Amino acid sequence: MSNGINLISYNTLFDFSKNVFLAMGCPEKDADLAANVLLSADLRGVDSHGVARLIGYVRLWEAGRINPTPEIKIIHETPSTATIDGDAGLGLVVAPQAMQVAIDKATNVGTGWVSVKNSNHYGIAGYHAMMALQHDMIGLSMTNASPLVSPTFSKERLLGTNPIAMAIPAGEEPPFVADFATTTAANGKLEILQRKEEDAPVGWVQDKQGNSTTDAAALKSGGALLPLGSDRVRSSHKGYCLGSMVDILSAVLSGAGYGPWAPPFVSFLPLPEDPVGEGLGHFFGAMRVDGFRPKEEFKSHMDNWIRRFKTAETVEGQERVLIPGDPEREIEHERRTVGIPVLSPVIKDLEEVGSKFDIKL
């Protein structure tokens, strides 16, 4: 093992992850699904949310915070809406099942909207939104997360990175897939910088006094992530608004823990002493394109939209304009061929996980 980056095949990482989920007590079908969702992050270049997170799930399970055999059920619904209780299950399993409910409702009545409580970290938001594409639907996915983010003008940590993803089908062109945190950077990116022993860019984090810092480990000493925009002058209030909307739709609406009461992803931090809800919350939407206009007509115009933006005149030094989803798709093609790059510290974590269950990487 080198001190840098190790290329490991998708199949090797998938089998390892699935076997870990099986060892945790997940049924075969759930272990397969969880590994698929988890590895989709690595394939798409979102390394902070893939196998690097596996040890975190194991530690939460060891702490009794993840139920490997949840009874996921609808607790409230109308023809187009539902609230789901994830029974403390893996978010990697709860979320795709909830998104499927949204898709099923959209199939029947045109749109489907599902809010989830009592869940855990669900991987990358884009995976769940993209489930709608094969049904010629527009998919929406969001989740609240551990409170690591300070609202504009505050030094308290009250929000999560709270990502939003939207997937929109096209015809001949690849789909439009936007997937982004509502912070300047996700916590996982800081973790990667810590493993590389590198500084964070200005505008990513603040220290416990609310001052700008480049310390990638600032959160460990009471600092906070910054909303998208980084500070008020650069419109951090917009990121604050976006993160708040995600928190409300995902958690206040469903009955999950919201704001500072959202449960932490790390097992060594205690759960809130005065909980206002259960677990993490998610929110999903599915909309049939033909609920608005004939789908082939829409997809043809999406192709036209994409082509026009791709041919936009570029600024000096830039070769092309990207469409949301382009970088991830290109990375996935490469990584399926040459393997997934995994940092040595992550390899060490995976070997630690493997030793718990006698599973070889």
Side-chain angles (χ1 to χ4, degrees), residues 176-197:
F176 174 108
V177 182
D179 183 357
F180 57 94
T182 54
T183 49
T184 304
N187 183 40
K189 290 188 177 180
L190 285 178
E191 293 171 345
I192 291 172
L193 290 176
Q194 291 170 42
R195 295 185 186 108
K196 292 181 176 180
E197 299 182 345

Side-chain angles (χ1 to χ4, degrees), residues 2-341:
S2 70
N3 292 321
I5 294 174
N6 308 265
L7 284 176
I8 304 178
S9 74
Y10 170 83
N11 289 338
T12 296
L13 289 173
F14 179 90
D15 290 344
F16 178 84
S17 300
K18 179 179 178 179
N19 285 330
V20 168
F21 290 128
L22 287 171
M24 288 167 58
C26 295
E28 175 88 18
K29 183 178 180 181
D30 287 358
D32 191 85
L33 177 59
N36 186 40
V37 176
L38 185 72
L39 266 296
S40 70
D42 293 293
L43 281 176
R44 293 179 65 78
V46 191
D47 299 329
S48 57
H49 285 54
V51 291
R53 290 278 184 186
L54 187 57
I55 193 169
Y57 292 113
V58 172
R59 288 171 177 166
L60 285 176
W61 168 74
E62 289 176 327
R65 297 187 192 177
I66 286 181
N67 177 5
T69 56
E71 183 185 349
I72 302 167
K73 59 186 178 182
I74 294 174
I75 57 174
H76 182 86
E77 70 176 322
T78 72
S80 63
T81 66
T83 301
I84 287 178
D85 185 331
D87 195 25
L90 274 167
L92 303 168
V93 173
V94 175
Q97 291 193 32
M99 184 62 190
Q100 188 59 52
V101 172
I103 291 169
D104 292 344
K105 286 183 174 291
T107 300
N108 292 329
V109 297
T111 65
W113 305 95
V114 175
S115 199
V116 179
K117 71 170 185 175
N118 204 5
S119 185
N120 283 283
H121 191 281
Y122 78 173
I124 57 168
Y127 178 94
H128 314 296
M130 291 172 67
M131 287 175 60
L133 294 174
Q134 61 185 305
H135 303 279
D136 286 324
M137 295 182 186
I138 296 170
L140 179 70
S141 166
M142 57 184 75
T143 182
N144 75 336
S146 307
L148 299 172
V149 184
S150 291
T152 301
F153 300 143
S154 176
K155 57 185 179 183
E156 279 196 84
R157 305 199 301 201
L158 299 180
L159 287 171
T161 52
N162 296 5
I164 301 171
M166 179 173 282
I168 304 174
E172 295 177 359
E173 295 292 332
F176 174 108
V177 182
D179 183 357
F180 57 94
T182 54
T183 49
T184 304
N187 183 40
K189 290 188 177 180
L190 285 178
E191 293 171 345
I192 291 172
L193 290 176
Q194 291 170 42
R195 295 185 186 108
K196 292 181 176 180
E197 299 182 345
E198 295 178 1
D199 288 338
V202 173
W204 280 25
V205 287
Q206 64 184 24
D207 63 23
K208 63 180 180 180
Q209 300 302 326
N211 302 310
S212 178
T213 180
T214 58
D215 180 8
L219 271 65
K220 295 179 180 178
S221 54
L225 290 169
L226 293 170
L228 186 62
S230 78
D231 58 32
R232 182 64 176 83
V233 174
R234 296 170 181 81
S235 300
S236 66
H237 60 286
K238 296 178 182 179
Y240 169 32
C241 287
L242 287 169
S244 299
M245 286 186 266
V246 172
D247 200 37
I248 292 166
L249 289 174
S250 299
V252 179
L253 191 62
S254 68
Y258 50 81
W261 296 279
F265 179 72
V266 291
S267 59
F268 58 83
L269 289 178
L271 292 170
E273 295 181 357
D274 54 345
V276 295
E278 297 178 272
L280 288 182
H282 318 310
F283 186 78
F284 304 101
M287 295 173 278
R288 273 172 44 186
V289 166
D290 64 4
F292 298 89
R293 70 187 298 187
K295 65 180 182 182
E296 295 307 324
E297 183 178 291
F298 170 81
K299 289 163 76 173
S300 173
H301 279 279
M302 272 303 300
D303 284 346
N304 189 50
W305 188 97
I306 290 169
R307 289 163 184 161
R308 179 62 187 89
F309 277 73
K310 280 188 172 180
T311 56
E313 186 176 356
T314 60
V315 297
E316 185 177 352
Q318 300 301 318
E319 295 182 2
R320 56 178 177 147
V321 171
L322 296 169
I323 302 302
D326 282 351
E328 294 87 349
R329 188 182 63 258
E330 291 166 8
I331 289 172
E332 179 171 355
H333 175 75
E334 177 183 348
R335 291 187 173 187
R336 282 192 182 276
T337 304
V338 303
I340 294 171

